[in-house]
Amino acid sequence: MTATAITGARLFDGIGARAPATVLIDEGRIVSVGGPVPEGAEVVDGSGGTLLPGLIDAHVHTSPRALALALAFGVTTELEMQGTHTRDERRHISDDDALADVRSCGFAITPPGGHPSELFPEGSRPGPPPGARPAGEPPLMPFSTTPEEAMAFVPRLIARGADYIKFMVDDGTVEGHPGLPMLDQATLSAGVAEAKRHGMITIAHALTLDAAYMAIEAGVDGLAHVFMDQPHTEEVVSLLRDSDTFVVPCVVLNASMMGLTGDELADDPRVASRLDDDWMTTLRSSFGHYPQGKLSHVLDTVRALHDAGVDILAGTDASVPLPFLGGLAHGASVHHELQYLTRAGLTPSQALRAATSTTARRFGLTDRGRIAEGLRADLLLVDGDPTTTISDTLNTRAVWRRGTRLEAREEAP
Ligand SMILES: [Zn+2]
């Protein structure tokens, strides 16, 4: 492989904006930042553009087709929060530079009949989309109603290659299914403690303030959503800060739950040109189960958490192209989430950290998330300067995954 030198581009290095500098990549890695262009290197002129680390979506449910779409939008890693892409089930993905890389918890610990079963119409079951899984063992479904059951599933999930352990804490309130079976505090706390005893990162799905309190009480490392049923309280902000819990707000998902579609994103020709009809229809739809919710409360909560010093991570909850899971599309919605984070009050650079270095740090992905010598050459080159105008992240000029430049496609993947 010939070394590639990307010259003349401003940098967002994962932490902040830097003056233009040459970034040299070779053998899938960043070899140097700010050095000379060696003889024989292929030169990519980045003048007028900004080079960023590949973006990371910290909440998806994915498939090879979705990973291809994500990569076309400069998202080089997706973190699956329920799905099939655990360690032994993703070798074909890890080695394919036409797809975003992926990590996964496998399936989340939830009671039988608990979330997310209520999201699916009668007759369709939550599970891997057809063709998403290579031939092999069926996924482990860790249905638990007691502390003993939850604790017993933890080592089994780890043995099956889970990268982190997720817990559903949801009584169905915001999905229009009140009374849904939910993990109780004892089961949640025992499962989290067991996962931490095994050195695993723990994440909770919680969409209400009460569920967030339960997750904090159990000591999770992070929340896969921000609550949407109430404004924040000073107490919950302090608890999240003092426990160093990270939050993946998925504002795009909360907006969709309130019936707000992804129309403003779909209307952007930089997005529409890359989505097929199924994804466009999905993006222009919404979950719509909680129209009484207030997006202003969610944005205020994100701002309060950020101001308190809570780590905010960009995530979307994008899954499959079905209108009842709408308002979202892989890759594209990360850019929408970045726009929402700035609407909440983060600066563009703070929002970009939420999709790069902060996520890498909180998930132990030490080989990515920044532009620095020795890291993976997962890179996004855009026209303009997203550290001043966040929507410039959509001005894709080039994407590299492990140093391999993504071929421009004639049609959506
Ligand atoms: Zn999800």
Side-chain angles (χ1 to χ4, degrees), residues 59 61 166 317:
H59 188 149
H61 311 278
K166 188 183 177 195
D317 212 356

Side-chain angles (χ1 to χ4, degrees), residues 29 37 55 59 62 65 85-87 93 128 133 161 164-165 178 193 199 207 230-231 283 320 376 381 392 405:
R29 299 268 155 187
V37 178
L55 305 176
H59 188 149
T62 200
R65 186 166 168 254
H85 299 92
T86 46
R87 186 190 55 229
I93 291 166
R133 182 162 46 87
Y164 32 83
I165 306 292
L207 280 165
Q230 293 182 50
L283 185 56
V320 288
R376 268 170 74 105
L381 178 64
D392 280 358
R405 185 170 176 170

